[in-house]
């Protein structure tokens, strides 16, 4: 048996190339990137509103609430990303399934 290249897995059902990062990891990373950009935009708006003379406290509170919601969404995607990475490592044989 020949050694498989580092990015391939040897298995009984045929070998195939393992993409790194996997599709699931890419999906999570892209979602997290989008969330990060939205949070940046919201924080800029909050800063501008807080600096203005009118203050607009209701709008600031609404934007801060949206930032908190996005932080929770980020955590959910972070968990999905970690699970996808764990599954990749199991598939590659670097971790044992539980």
């Amino acid at each position: 048996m020949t050694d498989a290249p580092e990015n391939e897995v040897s298995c009984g059902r045929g070998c195939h190339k393992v993409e790194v990062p996997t599709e699931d990891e890419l999906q999570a990373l892209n979602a997290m990137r989008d969330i990060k950009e939205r949070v940046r935009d919201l924080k800029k708006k909050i800063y501008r509103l807080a600096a203005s003379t009118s203050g607009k406290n209701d709008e600031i509170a609404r934007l801060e609430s949206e930032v908190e919601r996005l932080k929770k969404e980020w955590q959910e995607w972070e968990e999905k990303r970690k699970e996808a990475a764990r599954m990749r490592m199991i598939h590659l044989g670097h971790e044992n399934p539980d």
Side-chain angles (χ1 to χ4, degrees):
M1 177 182 220
T2 61
D3 291 333
E6 194 172 308
N7 62 346
E8 292 185 11
V9 176
S10 179
C11 59
R13 290 177 260 154
C15 295
H16 65 280
K17 186 175 179 178
V18 175
E19 295 294 324
V20 178
T22 64
E23 277 299 314
D24 290 340
E25 287 174 288
L26 282 175
Q27 181 184 15
L29 290 168
N30 287 333
M32 292 168 73
R33 192 174 299 117
D34 290 343
I35 291 169
K36 188 175 192 176
E37 187 62 34
R38 288 168 33 205
V39 167
R40 277 190 192 131
D41 291 343
L42 289 170
K43 286 187 175 187
K44 286 177 188 175
K45 288 178 185 177
I46 291 169
Y47 178 78
R48 283 193 299 260
L49 285 171
S52 72
T53 56
S54 61
K56 300 182 183 179
N57 291 333
D58 290 341
E59 181 67 8
I60 291 172
R62 186 188 68 75
L63 294 172
E64 288 175 341
S65 176
E66 179 67 7
V67 167
E68 288 304 312
R69 187 191 68 74
L70 288 170
K71 286 181 180 181
K72 290 176 184 172
E73 188 177 334
W74 172 280
Q75 289 298 338
E76 291 170 8
W77 280 109
E78 177 66 11
E79 290 302 315
K80 290 177 184 179
R81 184 201 60 79
K82 286 179 181 178
E83 180 61 18
R86 188 179 83 76
M87 294 307 292
R88 174 180 37 88
M89 295 301 280
I90 289 170
H91 185 73
L92 291 170
H94 297 299
E95 282 187 27
N96 292 323
D98 293 337

